[in-house]
Amino acid sequence: MKILRTVKDLKEFTLSLKNEGKTVGLVPTMGALHAGHISLVDRAVADNDATIVSVFVNPTQFNNPADLATYPRNEQADFELLEKANATAVFAPSVEEIYPEGESEQTHVFDLGSVAEVMEGKFRPGHFQGVAQIVSKLFRMVEPTYAYFGEKDFQQVAVIRRMAMTEGIDINIVSCPIKREDDGLAMSSRNVRLTESQRATAPGIYAALKYSLEYSQAHSVAATHDTVVERINALPKCEVEYFSIVDGITLQPIEEWTDSEYIVGCITVYCGDVRLIDNITYRK
Ligand code: PAF
């Protein structure tokens, strides 16, 4: 596996792959890799001749400096996992390499539409502009045929699709299913920050979402919303930031189960100071 540190090396390497007639898949990550990320790499390796994985903790998408400072990093372990997963190359640049004019440089305002205004867009101002900034840079540097993202970040996938469309970037975006621990907790790089007792209660998030699937059959959208929030808020040290039951394409809230053919519940929960997100599909 090649380790690339500069944009120049990345571009030269991808050009050489393309000159050999190889298709290239891209898996953007912020490192601290787990089995969820590896499932994206596995999919990319199966679909493409070559797979490039980026490992870059992007400062411009963190609206909370403490979150950026405590974001887990473990480059050596990441490289070992990627090597085992048969990635062709890893792109692990410095912040200066990606943002030579300073990390807050965001000269371009992306048109992300209404999908970026709700949920994470509301609670993490500027977050999706930062995501669009780094992902569009990666798309332009690598020009992959396919790029792979996890459905845990359900809204992020919709925002990236919108960004690619409005920026005129020709790419196939593949969203891959959430990977869960055996007890149901959605895999996340942030899980390592949970204390032992928080880790023991965090699976209650998915348990409440799963319970609500059956509950929703006989109850309104509002009642389903409330039961999920009550159940999770009853867990020790857990507090729901938002739970939104939305149309799976527009991401706008629905009021009745008959409002859409595709309905997803998206949730963010603070477990102590660790912010966890998850989602469940009610209808598709
Ligand atoms: O989902 C993530 O890890 C990040 O938001 C991404 C897509 C790698 C951009 O930094």
Side-chain angles (χ1 to χ4, degrees), residues 7 43 61 80 82 89 115 141 156 173 201 257 278:
V7 175
R43 177 75 194 272
Q61 70 187 74
E80 280 163 27
L82 292 175
V115 289
M141 288 168 194
Q156 172 171 273
I173 288 158
T201 50
W257 294 117
D278 204 343

Side-chain angles (χ1 to χ4, degrees), residues 2-10 55 75-76 79 90-98:
K2 258 206 139 36
I3 297 174
L4 307 164
R5 296 284 183 186
T6 66
V7 175
K8 184 171 166 285
D9 287 353
L10 173 68
V55 170
E75 195 179 83
Q76 215 38 54
F79 290 180
V90 56
F91 176 51
S94 65
V95 171
E96 297 71 36
E97 182 66 22
I98 295 294

Side-chain angles (χ1 to χ4, degrees), residues 26 28 54 91 134-144:
L26 172 69
S54 61
F91 176 51
I134 183 61
V135 174
S136 63
K137 275 179 189 275
L138 291 167
F139 283 178
R140 291 203 164 99
M141 288 168 194
V142 179
E143 295 185 350

Side-chain angles (χ1 to χ4, degrees), residues 33-75:
L33 302 179
H34 49 68
H37 294 111
I38 298 305
S39 73
L40 306 183
V41 178
D42 288 346
R43 177 75 194 272
V45 168
D47 290 352
N48 303 275
D49 298 323
T51 295
I52 297 181
V53 182
S54 61
V55 170
F56 178 65
V57 181
N58 173 39
T60 70
Q61 70 187 74
F62 285 82
N63 56 316
N64 174 353
D67 192 22
L68 173 60
T70 56
Y71 198 83
R73 295 158 208 247
N74 196 345
E75 195 179 83

